[in-house]
């Protein structure tokens, strides 16, 4: 496998990871409830909208990989913020007294 093919495979994995994370959030009804989480999710959506053409039209795997990696990081940040917000809003303590 040459380096272009390896980069393309890595880019596809990054995109698949980001999309899987987004789908899992939707399935779990994990809606962003705080301004920070809403902003991160909006930022990920905007980035995806703006980079779709670049991903589809680029003939350089390195460009696609960097865009896919950035998108994945944005989606993971949004997911982590949503989960942090859910834990913070939970009425049950993390570690109940024994």
């Amino acid at each position: 496998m040459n380096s272009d093919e390896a980069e393309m495979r890595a880019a596809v994995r990054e995109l698949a990871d980001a999309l899987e994370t987004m789908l899992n959030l939707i399935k779990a009804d994990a809606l962003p409830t705080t301004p920070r989480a809403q902003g991160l999710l909006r930022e990920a959506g905007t980035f995806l909208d703006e980079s779709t053409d670049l991903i589809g039209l680029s003939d350089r795997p390195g460009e696609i990989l960097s865009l896919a990696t950035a998108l994945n990081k944005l989606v993971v940040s949004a997911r982590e913020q949503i989960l942090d917000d859910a834990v913070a809003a939970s009425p049950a303590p993390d570690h109940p007294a024994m």
Side-chain angles (χ1 to χ4, degrees):
M1 177 179 344
N2 63 32
S3 85
D4 281 351
E5 187 177 340
E7 285 181 3
M8 186 60 76
R9 287 178 185 264
V12 169
R13 276 194 297 279
E14 289 286 348
L15 284 170
D17 287 345
L19 294 173
E20 181 181 13
T21 300
M22 291 176 115
L23 288 173
N24 286 336
L25 288 172
I26 292 167
K27 284 183 198 173
D29 288 331
L31 302 175
T33 57
T34 63
R36 174 77 178 136
Q38 291 169 351
L40 286 168
L41 209 51
R42 226 178 356 266
E43 187 178 343
T46 300
F47 185 86
L48 180 60
D49 287 343
E50 292 172 354
S51 62
T52 298
D53 287 341
L54 296 172
I55 291 170
L57 299 175
S58 179
D59 58 350
R60 291 180 285 192
E63 280 182 13
I64 296 170
L65 179 57
S66 66
L67 289 169
T69 300
L71 175 61
N72 194 20
K73 286 180 183 176
L74 285 170
V75 172
V76 168
S77 293
R79 179 196 66 204
E80 289 174 357
Q81 187 64 51
I82 289 168
L83 294 175
D84 288 348
D85 294 344
V87 169
S90 173
D94 287 338
H95 303 285
M98 298 297 249

